[in-house]
Amino acid sequence: MAAGSRDEREGTVIQRLGSRLSARVERWMPSPFLFAIFLTYIVFVAGLLVEGEGPVQMTQYWFDGFWILLSFTMQAVLVLVTGFVLAYHPFVQRQLTRLLSIPSTGRRALLLVGLLAMVIAWFHWGLGLIIGAILAREMGRQAHERGLNVHYPLLCVAGFMGLALTWNMGLSGAAVLLMNTPNNVFIQQGLIDSLVPISRTIFHPQMITLLILGIIYVLALLYLLSPPDSEKEGMTEFVPESELGEFVETEDEPATPDGGETAAATDTTDGPHSTETVPADRINNSRILGGVIALSGVAITIYTFATQGLNALNLNTVNFAFLFIGFALFTSPEAYAEQFGEAVTSASDIILQFPFYAGIIGMMTNSGLAGTIAESIVGFAGTETFPAAVVIISTIVNTFVPSGGGEWTVIGPIVIPAAQNLDVPLGQTMIAYTFGASLADLIQPFWALPLLGITSMRARDIFGYTIMMLILALPFFLVAITVVPYAGSFWSGIIPF
């Protein structure tokens, strides 16, 4: 809907600003892949002008960095894919559909989708991203059928808020888990001599308090940004009604019968159209075999946490746990492999674009540009304002390096010594970092790619609202991270830790 066709006299100031910004972004925002290319050239030129590097040297930095995220890329892909597989299990989808039948108004639907997306992403960012997208699409479909007046672009933003707020602070947050991973890059570099346990980050009272306040504030923003009824655009404005369909499967189990008795099993010895079930089919689809594999993985996960406690949480244990939880849900090895294969397609854009962002990391790190950004901001900070400075640094850098763990490897070597010099606890520094890194996703479309595919939206359809969310949320979190204390004496007797 063009900006000029809107009645700007309707709605609150926030609603009008959100609508205007959404209209502008819809006209001008490029595709996420071109966004990555543009950022590449911006960093290239900045290296020339700010750091005085030559074009050949900047090109070499880009080339040298292109593959530095291969290991982390695989970890990120597994987080996303394991979450995708769980989200698309029929049992999970049925429960989501029942939940979404509860709201009786468009705004309540918006708040429910946002709340569920943020809570689930705290447990697992890949699961939160995919379920958030499913919630947005399914709620849009139900709203169309039930006559609820809901603005579909903002509904998709609500489904994305898990990635834009809570995931970095949760159980699969890359940076905090990296700091708790033995022999991590910062220990190897001699910047720290011991791990930073999650009791000082994820489960610290300051983090929990800020997380709760943040969720409440974001829900309030979603409510306030919802346009007047006359301006709301339902799902059918973006998705043809013929394509809405029944988004959630109705089967009780994945479509693989017990014992491997598949209707389309093929015996290759009798030709391509044979329907005879052979022993290999029974083995491939054996729920007994799948159950044994699943139980083995789940048992190892339980043993790991029983012997090491919650400090066992790191990217590898998270991926391992969710990989076998998915196996336990599907049980049939063949059914799980097929669903896993379908889920991998959701990560195709990550596989394509991550090397380009790794190249950006190479240029920012080797040219000294990332250090210049961090040092210029840290230089104005004192002990009390240092956490807010870290929020700003991580928000800026994450726009160019959309990876919680990848970005932290870039700015950590500058931020960690500064925190130590100011006697700011590393746990508090990490908490501040997680907020900025999450908020940057509101202007960086990279992690929205799976959501856009599931909801049939374009980045420019929703990023006017996400940018507005950032404008309204960043000042709140800068104040909150400053006034909510980290010191243990404040929390003693309130929350044990």
Side-chain angles (χ1 to χ4, degrees), residues 377 381 384-393 432 474 477-479 481-482:
I377 297 174
E384 298 298 324
T385 58
F386 183 77
V390 173
V391 172
I392 294 172
I393 293 168
L474 184 57
F477 285 109
L478 290 176
V479 172
I481 198 75
T482 302

Side-chain angles (χ1 to χ4, degrees), residues 49 59 110 148-149 225 232 307 327 346 375 379 381 399 417 447 471:
L49 300 179
T59 303
L110 194 67
L148 300 182
N149 203 347
L225 280 171
K232 288 178 179 175
T307 54
F327 222 127
S346 68
E375 289 171 0
T399 304
W447 291 114
I471 293 171

Side-chain angles (χ1 to χ4, degrees), residues 252-483:
D252 288 337
E253 298 292 340
T256 305
D258 288 333
E261 303 280 342
T262 58
T266 300
D267 180 1
T268 56
T269 62
D270 293 331
H273 302 295
S274 172
T275 58
E276 177 184 351
T277 300
V278 298
D281 297 320
R282 295 190 179 92
I283 295 172
N284 291 340
N285 293 286
S286 171
R287 294 188 181 279
I288 295 176
L289 178 60
V292 170
I293 297 171
L295 285 175
S296 299
V298 172
I300 292 172
T301 301
I302 293 173
Y303 175 78
T304 300
F305 284 101
T307 54
Q308 300 180 34
L310 286 175
N311 283 330
L313 269 178
N314 56 51
L315 286 173
N316 293 331
T317 55
V318 167
N319 277 332
F320 186 88
F322 277 88
L323 185 69
F324 284 95
I325 290 172
F327 222 127
L329 276 178
F330 282 86
T331 62
S332 162
E334 186 75 9
Y336 188 47
E338 289 179 1
Q339 186 64 65
F340 208 88
E342 292 181 15
V344 169
T345 61
S346 68
S348 61
D349 287 307
I350 293 175
I351 297 170
L352 169 65
Q353 294 185 34
F354 243 32
F356 287 89
Y357 283 108
I360 292 174
I361 291 177
M363 289 191 291
M364 293 188 70
T365 303
N366 295 322
S367 71
L369 185 60
T372 298
I373 295 172
E375 289 171 0
S376 63
I377 297 174
V378 167
F380 292 99
T383 301
E384 298 298 324
T385 58
F386 183 77
V390 173
V391 172
I392 294 172
I393 293 168
S394 58
T395 302
I396 294 173
V397 178
N398 195 262
T399 304
F400 296 91
V401 186
S403 160
E407 181 202 358
W408 182 239
T409 63
V410 173
I411 67 172
I414 295 98
V415 170
I416 290 174
Q420 293 166 339
N421 291 335
L422 291 171
D423 291 326
V424 177
L426 285 183
Q428 184 181 14
T429 302
M430 293 302 303
I431 291 172
Y433 166 80
T434 61
F435 277 89
S438 294
L439 290 173
D441 289 332
L442 290 169
I443 54 174
Q444 165 55 260
F446 180 75
W447 291 114
L449 292 169
L451 176 135
L452 296 173
I454 291 171
T455 58
S456 301
M457 297 290 278
R458 301 165 300 180
R460 65 192 195 193
D461 292 327
I462 69 172
F463 267 80
Y465 287 107
T466 63
I467 294 170
M468 192 66 197
M469 291 283 287
L470 176 64
I471 293 171
L472 296 173
L474 184 57
F476 171 82
F477 285 109
L478 290 176
V479 172
I481 198 75
T482 302
V483 301

Side-chain angles (χ1 to χ4, degrees), residues 70-366:
L70 279 181
S71 177
F72 181 75
T73 299
M74 187 61 183
Q75 290 176 317
V77 166
L78 278 175
V79 172
L80 178 62
V81 170
T82 54
F84 193 107
V85 170
L86 290 180
Y88 270 89
H89 190 278
F91 173 78
V92 175
Q93 290 192 23
R94 284 197 305 276
Q95 307 317 310
L96 296 179
T97 303
R98 290 177 183 138
L99 274 175
L100 295 178
S101 66
I102 297 173
S104 56
T105 67
R107 276 186 166 152
R108 290 178 182 175
L110 194 67
L111 297 181
L112 179 62
V113 169
L115 178 62
L116 290 174
M118 288 187 282
V119 170
I120 295 170
W122 186 89
F123 287 96
H124 185 283
W125 73 257
L127 188 63
L129 173 59
I130 302 303
I131 285 188
I134 291 175
L135 288 169
R137 178 167 179 127
E138 177 64 13
M139 190 71 255
R141 186 186 67 81
Q142 286 198 30
H144 173 71
E145 292 183 349
R146 293 162 51 194
L148 300 182
N149 203 347
V150 63
H151 191 53
Y152 189 57
L154 195 56
L155 190 64
C156 295
V157 172
F160 185 59
M161 286 312 301
L163 263 287
L165 179 64
T166 56
W167 82 271
N168 252 319
M169 308 157 207
L171 302 183
S172 61
V176 291
L177 295 186
L178 177 64
M179 294 295 281
N180 194 42
T181 300
N183 198 35
N184 64 63
V185 63
F186 300 105
I187 291 178
Q188 294 175 8
Q189 294 175 356
L191 292 172
I192 58 175
D193 54 14
S194 61
L195 302 179
V196 180
I198 58 174
S199 59
R200 298 181 192 172
T201 53
I202 297 173
F203 292 110
H204 192 277
Q206 187 195 40
M207 176 76 96
I208 295 171
T209 302
L210 291 170
L211 183 65
I212 293 172
L213 290 175
I215 290 175
I216 293 172
Y217 185 72
V218 164
L219 291 177
L221 290 182
L222 288 172
Y223 185 90
L224 293 173
L225 280 171
S226 183
D229 287 349
S230 62
E231 295 185 7
K232 288 178 179 175
E233 298 172 294
M235 188 175 182
T236 52
E237 296 287 331
F238 304 90
V239 184
E241 190 168 351
S242 60
E243 296 180 13
L244 297 186
E246 287 289 338
F247 189 63
V248 180
E249 298 181 30
T250 57
E251 292 87 349
D252 288 337
E253 298 292 340
T256 305
D258 288 333
E261 303 280 342
T262 58
T266 300
D267 180 1
T268 56
T269 62
D270 293 331
H273 302 295
S274 172
T275 58
E276 177 184 351
T277 300
V278 298
D281 297 320
R282 295 190 179 92
I283 295 172
N284 291 340
N285 293 286
S286 171
R287 294 188 181 279
I288 295 176
L289 178 60
V292 170
I293 297 171
L295 285 175
S296 299
V298 172
I300 292 172
T301 301
I302 293 173
Y303 175 78
T304 300
F305 284 101
T307 54
Q308 300 180 34
L310 286 175
N311 283 330
L313 269 178
N314 56 51
L315 286 173
N316 293 331
T317 55
V318 167
N319 277 332
F320 186 88
F322 277 88
L323 185 69
F324 284 95
I325 290 172
F327 222 127
L329 276 178
F330 282 86
T331 62
S332 162
E334 186 75 9
Y336 188 47
E338 289 179 1
Q339 186 64 65
F340 208 88
E342 292 181 15
V344 169
T345 61
S346 68
S348 61
D349 287 307
I350 293 175
I351 297 170
L352 169 65
Q353 294 185 34
F354 243 32
F356 287 89
Y357 283 108
I360 292 174
I361 291 177
M363 289 191 291
M364 293 188 70
T365 303
N366 295 322

